[in-house]
mmCIF file of all heavy atoms in Angstrom:
data_model
loop_
_atom_site.group_PDB
_atom_site.id
_atom_site.type_symbol
_atom_site.label_atom_id
_atom_site.label_comp_id
_atom_site.label_asym_id
_atom_site.label_seq_id
_atom_site.Cartn_x
_atom_site.Cartn_y
_atom_site.Cartn_z
ATOM 1 N N ARG A 852 5.429 -63.953 -22.490
ATOM 2 C CA ARG A 852 4.100 -64.388 -22.106
ATOM 3 C C ARG A 852 3.822 -65.807 -22.600
ATOM 4 O O ARG A 852 4.441 -66.257 -23.542
ATOM 5 C CB ARG A 852 3.017 -63.402 -22.750
ATOM 6 C CG ARG A 852 2.640 -63.690 -24.148
ATOM 7 C CD ARG A 852 3.606 -63.135 -25.119
ATOM 8 N NE ARG A 852 3.104 -63.096 -26.511
ATOM 9 C CZ ARG A 852 3.347 -64.082 -27.428
ATOM 10 N NH1 ARG A 852 4.006 -65.111 -27.028
ATOM 11 N NH2 ARG A 852 2.871 -63.968 -28.643
ATOM 12 N N ASP A 853 2.905 -66.431 -21.903
ATOM 13 C CA ASP A 853 2.419 -67.779 -22.246
ATOM 14 C C ASP A 853 0.921 -67.671 -22.450
ATOM 15 O O ASP A 853 0.149 -67.564 -21.499
ATOM 16 C CB ASP A 853 2.710 -68.756 -21.157
ATOM 17 C CG ASP A 853 2.403 -70.190 -21.507
ATOM 18 O OD1 ASP A 853 1.481 -70.436 -22.307
ATOM 19 O OD2 ASP A 853 3.076 -71.111 -20.991
ATOM 20 N N ASN A 854 0.502 -67.632 -23.709
ATOM 21 C CA ASN A 854 -0.915 -67.426 -24.018
ATOM 22 C C ASN A 854 -1.820 -68.471 -23.446
ATOM 23 O O ASN A 854 -2.914 -68.216 -22.964
ATOM 24 C CB ASN A 854 -1.119 -67.342 -25.560
ATOM 25 C CG ASN A 854 -0.532 -66.077 -26.144
ATOM 26 O OD1 ASN A 854 0.332 -65.417 -25.547
ATOM 27 N ND2 ASN A 854 -0.977 -65.737 -27.358
ATOM 28 N N ALA A 855 -1.337 -69.733 -23.487
ATOM 29 C CA ALA A 855 -2.161 -70.843 -22.985
ATOM 30 C C ALA A 855 -2.420 -70.771 -21.513
ATOM 31 O O ALA A 855 -3.487 -71.180 -21.035
ATOM 32 C CB ALA A 855 -1.456 -72.161 -23.284
ATOM 33 N N LYS A 856 -1.481 -70.186 -20.793
ATOM 34 C CA LYS A 856 -1.654 -70.035 -19.366
ATOM 35 C C LYS A 856 -2.154 -68.659 -18.949
ATOM 36 O O LYS A 856 -2.287 -68.383 -17.746
ATOM 37 C CB LYS A 856 -0.311 -70.288 -18.638
ATOM 38 C CG LYS A 856 0.197 -71.721 -18.809
ATOM 39 C CD LYS A 856 1.534 -71.876 -18.086
ATOM 40 C CE LYS A 856 2.047 -73.331 -18.244
ATOM 41 N NZ LYS A 856 3.354 -73.521 -17.474
ATOM 42 N N ASN A 857 -2.386 -67.722 -19.896
ATOM 43 C CA ASN A 857 -2.809 -66.412 -19.639
ATOM 44 C C ASN A 857 -1.865 -65.718 -18.602
ATOM 45 O O ASN A 857 -2.291 -65.106 -17.625
ATOM 46 C CB ASN A 857 -4.236 -66.299 -19.124
ATOM 47 C CG ASN A 857 -5.246 -66.557 -20.220
ATOM 48 O OD1 ASN A 857 -4.952 -66.420 -21.417
ATOM 49 N ND2 ASN A 857 -6.473 -66.847 -19.863
ATOM 50 N N THR A 858 -0.588 -65.874 -18.850
ATOM 51 C CA THR A 858 0.408 -65.451 -17.821
ATOM 52 C C THR A 858 1.555 -64.616 -18.543
ATOM 53 O O THR A 858 1.929 -65.008 -19.667
ATOM 54 C CB THR A 858 0.989 -66.596 -17.057
ATOM 55 O OG1 THR A 858 -0.002 -67.346 -16.447
ATOM 56 C CG2 THR A 858 2.072 -66.158 -16.087
ATOM 57 N N VAL A 859 1.942 -63.571 -17.922
ATOM 58 C CA VAL A 859 3.081 -62.783 -18.378
ATOM 59 C C VAL A 859 4.191 -62.858 -17.344
ATOM 60 O O VAL A 859 3.920 -62.942 -16.171
ATOM 61 C CB VAL A 859 2.643 -61.353 -18.660
ATOM 62 C CG1 VAL A 859 2.241 -60.612 -17.358
ATOM 63 C CG2 VAL A 859 3.794 -60.565 -19.325
ATOM 64 N N TYR A 860 5.435 -62.802 -17.794
ATOM 65 C CA TYR A 860 6.556 -62.959 -16.909
ATOM 66 C C TYR A 860 7.518 -61.736 -17.113
ATOM 67 O O TYR A 860 7.620 -61.129 -18.197
ATOM 68 C CB TYR A 860 7.384 -64.216 -17.258
ATOM 69 C CG TYR A 860 6.525 -65.498 -17.214
ATOM 70 C CD1 TYR A 860 5.884 -65.920 -18.328
ATOM 71 C CD2 TYR A 860 6.396 -66.172 -16.043
ATOM 72 C CE1 TYR A 860 5.092 -67.073 -18.310
ATOM 73 C CE2 TYR A 860 5.662 -67.335 -15.972
ATOM 74 C CZ TYR A 860 4.992 -67.793 -17.119
ATOM 75 O OH TYR A 860 4.246 -68.953 -17.075
ATOM 76 N N LEU A 861 8.271 -61.457 -16.041
ATOM 77 C CA LEU A 861 9.273 -60.475 -16.111
ATOM 78 C C LEU A 861 10.539 -61.046 -15.491
ATOM 79 O O LEU A 861 10.594 -61.276 -14.269
ATOM 80 C CB LEU A 861 8.891 -59.160 -15.394
ATOM 81 C CG LEU A 861 9.967 -58.033 -15.396
ATOM 82 C CD1 LEU A 861 10.166 -57.549 -16.839
ATOM 83 C CD2 LEU A 861 9.545 -56.891 -14.441
ATOM 84 N N GLN A 862 11.524 -61.301 -16.266
ATOM 85 C CA GLN A 862 12.848 -61.776 -15.829
ATOM 86 C C GLN A 862 13.741 -60.595 -15.623
ATOM 87 O O GLN A 862 14.032 -59.827 -16.609
ATOM 88 C CB GLN A 862 13.419 -62.769 -16.787
ATOM 89 C CG GLN A 862 14.843 -63.276 -16.480
ATOM 90 C CD GLN A 862 14.903 -64.163 -15.275
ATOM 91 O OE1 GLN A 862 14.016 -65.026 -15.090
ATOM 92 N NE2 GLN A 862 15.829 -63.972 -14.382
ATOM 93 N N MET A 863 14.227 -60.297 -14.431
ATOM 94 C CA MET A 863 15.117 -59.239 -14.114
ATOM 95 C C MET A 863 16.500 -59.772 -13.704
ATOM 96 O O MET A 863 16.571 -60.606 -12.815
ATOM 97 C CB MET A 863 14.538 -58.333 -13.061
ATOM 98 C CG MET A 863 13.186 -57.727 -13.462
ATOM 99 S SD MET A 863 12.574 -56.619 -12.123
ATOM 100 C CE MET A 863 12.166 -57.818 -10.842
ATOM 101 N N ASN A 864 17.495 -59.292 -14.316
ATOM 102 C CA ASN A 864 18.893 -59.673 -14.071
ATOM 103 C C ASN A 864 19.720 -58.506 -13.567
ATOM 104 O O ASN A 864 19.396 -57.337 -13.821
ATOM 105 C CB ASN A 864 19.539 -60.345 -15.298
ATOM 106 C CG ASN A 864 18.762 -61.512 -15.804
ATOM 107 O OD1 ASN A 864 18.351 -62.359 -15.083
ATOM 108 N ND2 ASN A 864 18.544 -61.478 -17.117
ATOM 109 N N ASN A 865 20.847 -58.817 -12.977
ATOM 110 C CA ASN A 865 21.737 -57.770 -12.436
ATOM 111 C C ASN A 865 20.967 -56.738 -11.713
ATOM 112 O O ASN A 865 21.074 -55.473 -11.952
ATOM 113 C CB ASN A 865 22.543 -57.126 -13.611
ATOM 114 C CG ASN A 865 23.654 -56.265 -13.178
ATOM 115 O OD1 ASN A 865 24.219 -56.466 -12.102
ATOM 116 N ND2 ASN A 865 24.046 -55.291 -13.998
ATOM 117 N N LEU A 866 20.239 -57.147 -10.722
ATOM 118 C CA LEU A 866 19.369 -56.208 -9.966
ATOM 119 C C LEU A 866 20.230 -55.276 -9.179
ATOM 120 O O LEU A 866 21.310 -55.604 -8.658
ATOM 121 C CB LEU A 866 18.448 -56.969 -9.028
ATOM 122 C CG LEU A 866 17.294 -57.700 -9.722
ATOM 123 C CD1 LEU A 866 16.691 -58.747 -8.842
ATOM 124 C CD2 LEU A 866 16.241 -56.722 -10.180
ATOM 125 N N LYS A 867 19.740 -54.018 -9.011
ATOM 126 C CA LYS A 867 20.371 -52.941 -8.322
ATOM 127 C C LYS A 867 19.525 -52.461 -7.199
ATOM 128 O O LYS A 867 18.305 -52.612 -7.215
ATOM 129 C CB LYS A 867 20.687 -51.778 -9.247
ATOM 130 C CG LYS A 867 21.492 -52.206 -10.494
ATOM 131 C CD LYS A 867 21.668 -51.016 -11.472
ATOM 132 C CE LYS A 867 22.451 -51.481 -12.706
ATOM 133 N NZ LYS A 867 22.593 -50.349 -13.637
ATOM 134 N N PRO A 868 20.077 -51.867 -6.146
ATOM 135 C CA PRO A 868 19.275 -51.316 -5.059
ATOM 136 C C PRO A 868 18.160 -50.382 -5.536
ATOM 137 O O PRO A 868 17.082 -50.393 -4.934
ATOM 138 C CB PRO A 868 20.283 -50.620 -4.165
ATOM 139 C CG PRO A 868 21.535 -51.341 -4.401
ATOM 140 C CD PRO A 868 21.504 -51.751 -5.837
ATOM 141 N N GLU A 869 18.398 -49.623 -6.612
ATOM 142 C CA GLU A 869 17.388 -48.717 -7.110
ATOM 143 C C GLU A 869 16.256 -49.451 -7.801
ATOM 144 O O GLU A 869 15.250 -48.810 -8.128
ATOM 145 C CB GLU A 869 18.024 -47.706 -8.081
ATOM 146 C CG GLU A 869 18.855 -48.333 -9.189
ATOM 147 C CD GLU A 869 20.313 -48.294 -8.869
ATOM 148 O OE1 GLU A 869 20.672 -48.581 -7.690
ATOM 149 O OE2 GLU A 869 21.121 -48.020 -9.778
ATOM 150 N N ASP A 870 16.365 -50.734 -7.965
ATOM 151 C CA ASP A 870 15.238 -51.521 -8.513
ATOM 152 C C ASP A 870 14.197 -51.846 -7.422
ATOM 153 O O ASP A 870 13.162 -52.411 -7.695
ATOM 154 C CB ASP A 870 15.704 -52.815 -9.154
ATOM 155 C CG ASP A 870 16.547 -52.624 -10.411
ATOM 156 O OD1 ASP A 870 16.100 -51.736 -11.232
ATOM 157 O OD2 ASP A 870 17.553 -53.297 -10.627
ATOM 158 N N THR A 871 14.544 -51.582 -6.175
ATOM 159 C CA THR A 871 13.627 -51.786 -5.087
ATOM 160 C C THR A 871 12.339 -51.022 -5.270
ATOM 161 O O THR A 871 12.367 -49.792 -5.419
ATOM 162 C CB THR A 871 14.245 -51.413 -3.749
ATOM 163 O OG1 THR A 871 15.367 -52.280 -3.453
ATOM 164 C CG2 THR A 871 13.209 -51.576 -2.617
ATOM 165 N N ALA A 872 11.227 -51.693 -5.329
ATOM 166 C CA ALA A 872 9.953 -51.087 -5.636
ATOM 167 C C ALA A 872 8.808 -52.098 -5.489
ATOM 168 O O ALA A 872 9.081 -53.290 -5.414
ATOM 169 C CB ALA A 872 9.948 -50.440 -7.025
ATOM 170 N N VAL A 873 7.616 -51.545 -5.424
ATOM 171 C CA VAL A 873 6.416 -52.374 -5.617
ATOM 172 C C VAL A 873 6.177 -52.542 -7.083
ATOM 173 O O VAL A 873 6.082 -51.509 -7.827
ATOM 174 C CB VAL A 873 5.208 -51.776 -4.920
ATOM 175 C CG1 VAL A 873 3.967 -52.620 -5.217
ATOM 176 C CG2 VAL A 873 5.449 -51.720 -3.409
ATOM 177 N N TYR A 874 6.129 -53.711 -7.584
ATOM 178 C CA TYR A 874 5.915 -54.013 -8.994
ATOM 179 C C TYR A 874 4.466 -54.382 -9.226
ATOM 180 O O TYR A 874 3.920 -55.233 -8.581
ATOM 181 C CB TYR A 874 6.828 -55.143 -9.480
ATOM 182 C CG TYR A 874 8.278 -54.697 -9.643
ATOM 183 C CD1 TYR A 874 9.103 -54.412 -8.543
ATOM 184 C CD2 TYR A 874 8.858 -54.471 -10.934
ATOM 185 C CE1 TYR A 874 10.406 -53.952 -8.694
ATOM 186 C CE2 TYR A 874 10.138 -54.104 -11.059
ATOM 187 C CZ TYR A 874 10.892 -53.798 -9.949
ATOM 188 O OH TYR A 874 12.195 -53.356 -10.104
ATOM 189 N N TYR A 875 3.875 -53.714 -10.216
ATOM 190 C CA TYR A 875 2.488 -53.908 -10.574
ATOM 191 C C TYR A 875 2.285 -54.549 -11.938
ATOM 192 O O TYR A 875 2.936 -54.088 -12.919
ATOM 193 C CB TYR A 875 1.710 -52.589 -10.602
ATOM 194 C CG TYR A 875 1.673 -51.890 -9.251
ATOM 195 C CD1 TYR A 875 2.660 -50.980 -8.861
ATOM 196 C CD2 TYR A 875 0.651 -52.095 -8.343
ATOM 197 C CE1 TYR A 875 2.635 -50.351 -7.691
ATOM 198 C CE2 TYR A 875 0.616 -51.438 -7.147
ATOM 199 C CZ TYR A 875 1.575 -50.580 -6.828
ATOM 200 O OH TYR A 875 1.517 -49.930 -5.580
ATOM 201 N N CYS A 876 1.526 -55.581 -11.990
ATOM 202 C CA CYS A 876 1.178 -56.134 -13.309
ATOM 203 C C CYS A 876 0.024 -55.295 -13.876
ATOM 204 O O CYS A 876 -0.882 -54.922 -13.120
ATOM 205 C CB CYS A 876 0.689 -57.613 -13.090
ATOM 206 S SG CYS A 876 0.210 -58.456 -14.615
ATOM 207 N N VAL A 877 0.049 -55.005 -15.161
ATOM 208 C CA VAL A 877 -0.935 -54.170 -15.811
ATOM 209 C C VAL A 877 -1.446 -54.852 -17.081
ATOM 210 O O VAL A 877 -0.757 -55.649 -17.710
ATOM 211 C CB VAL A 877 -0.434 -52.798 -16.087
ATOM 212 C CG1 VAL A 877 -0.097 -52.041 -14.753
ATOM 213 C CG2 VAL A 877 0.774 -52.765 -17.030
ATOM 214 N N ALA A 878 -2.620 -54.409 -17.504
ATOM 215 C CA ALA A 878 -3.159 -54.853 -18.808
ATOM 216 C C ALA A 878 -4.079 -53.827 -19.431
ATOM 217 O O ALA A 878 -4.594 -52.952 -18.674
ATOM 218 C CB ALA A 878 -3.955 -56.117 -18.588
#
């Protein structure tokens, strides 16, 4: 996260077909 930008990140590596999905940001 970057507090100054009020932003959260998700870095995903070695992606697999089963990672296919709708991704939701939550708080």
